[in-house]
Amino acid sequence: MNPSEMSFYQPDHDAFRVSVREFVQREISPFYLEWEEQHLVDRTAFAAAGAAGVLGTRVEEAYGGGGTDDYRFRFIVAEELASAGAASYSAGLAVQEDIVIPYVMELGSEEQKRRWLPGLTSGNQLGAIAMTEPGAGSDLQGTRTTAVRDGDEWLISGQKTFITNGIQSDTIVVLARTNPDAGSRGFSLFVVEAGDSGFSRGRKLDKIGLVAQDTAELFFEKVRVGRDRLLGEEGNGLRYLMERLPLERLSIAVAALCSAEAAYGWARDYVFERQAFSQDVGDFQTVRFTLAEIETELEVTRAYVEAATLKLNRGSLTAVDAAKAKWWASELQQRVINRSLQLFGGYGYMLEYPIARAYRDARIQTIYGGTTEIMKEIIGRDIAARAKRR
Ligand SMILES: Cc1cc2nc3c(=O)[nH]c(=O)nc-3n(C[C@H](O)[C@H](O)[C@H](O)COP(=O)(O)OP(=O)(O)OC[C@H]3O[C@@H](n4cnc5c(N)ncnc54)[C@H](O)[C@@H]3O)c2cc1C
């Protein structure tokens, strides 16, 4: 079965793809290696995405967005960026589009939406989500950043790390503990703005891969915020995070699948151009078997991820569905890229080849957005609960 026969996309998606591809060719590919060298995507690339309608697809038109809740449009953006080997940019864009914007859109008051959504949608403002701390990643109940009441305001103090878009962000959604005695109901979400007194950024962190993606430490020293910066209700922070994880995790699964498909495509083409022992490398049976295995795995995975996307569109994607998609697709991505790289021989190890950069960039995917182990924990807990109910 060829994935394109599954009618996942409709004509309006195909038209959107044409404009995304043109955007990537014009605004991303010519500059990408330069961004990797400077270890930072130029922020104008986000504004360019806004201008091209590639960003803010889900945002209501009143705030400048595309006004669709069809995630297939995002899928197309991920496919096109993966084909161009632009993983660092894709990851930064995904944080803005699939995490920060939905938080503001779904939890923000009308005033908050008017304040932040137009800039996030146009890409003139960059967003970040600051959950992880030096001592708390998988276990967010270990969050130490506090927001202490001072009359009608809060003073936020603490430290966050590994924050995507951290260096360039203007609008940062921060998880902080508002009541140490309230257990999981003791956390809230606030928006900190770059100019707030007491907010500062630490190092731009050096990473194995995604080298152009901006990842940073953030510091909060008694950052004073009023009610207008509280997202949703006080005490609901962890619940809000959990509710939005299916989208965040599907976003990573989609990026993982697209990146694996792109890598496989490069390797498949290469082995029929490269000769060894007087024949195409692709004519050795072992190479063909490798291609056969990879292509099968990719098609089976695509069927699941596409089904998950349609479930998200219908509002029925569960945390368990998304956990399955995330761990499976991100682990598959690593296997596929590793095997595809092998087919390039020594050239696969050279960073001038997209396959080498894809290999390096893939490693994080089983870690952020919830590790593979945490995904299996979520799925396993659900299995156990169902089994015990019988
Ligand atoms: C490039 C990059 C970008 C990131 N972007 C962001 C961002 O924008 N915002 C943000 O808030 N965070 C971000 N993160 C942080 C990321 O989400 C965390 O690193 C991740 O959730 C894991 O947390 P941790 O690093 O504290 O690892 P830990 O939680 O300390 O985990 C260490 C190991 O223990 C395992 N483990 C933990 N608990 C269990 C368990 N119950 N059962 C079995 N094994 C377990 C983990 O799977 C892992 O293998 C980013 C990280 C990186 C590297």
Side-chain angles (χ1 to χ4, degrees), residues 19-47:
S19 68
V20 176
R21 187 166 296 173
E22 200 262 331
F23 159 77
V24 173
Q25 282 166 357
R26 190 183 65 241
E27 304 284 353
I28 306 300
S29 296
F31 311 106
Y32 195 73
L33 290 181
E34 203 179 296
W35 297 337
E36 289 211 328
E37 272 164 31
Q38 72 189 23
H39 284 205
L40 200 64
V41 171
D42 220 319
R43 58 180 295 144
T44 55
F46 295 93

Side-chain angles (χ1 to χ4, degrees), residues 91 95 99-100 127-140 160-166 173 175 205 207 209-210 213-216 248-249 252 326 364 366-377 381:
V95 164
I99 306 182
V100 180
I129 173 96
M131 300 189 246
T132 306
E133 303 187 353
S138 303
D139 179 14
L140 289 175
K160 299 288 179 180
T161 194
F162 305 148
I163 306 307
T164 300
N165 298 341
V173 177
L175 177 70
L205 301 167
K207 308 189 294 296
L210 294 185
Q213 184 221 35
D214 152 11
T215 311
E248 178 180 346
R249 291 181 174 152
I252 297 172
K326 200 268 173 183
I364 185 56
T366 59
I367 298 173
Y368 62 15
T371 64
T372 292
E373 294 72 30
I374 294 297
M375 296 306 98
K376 291 180 182 172
E377 187 55 35
R381 221 181 296 143

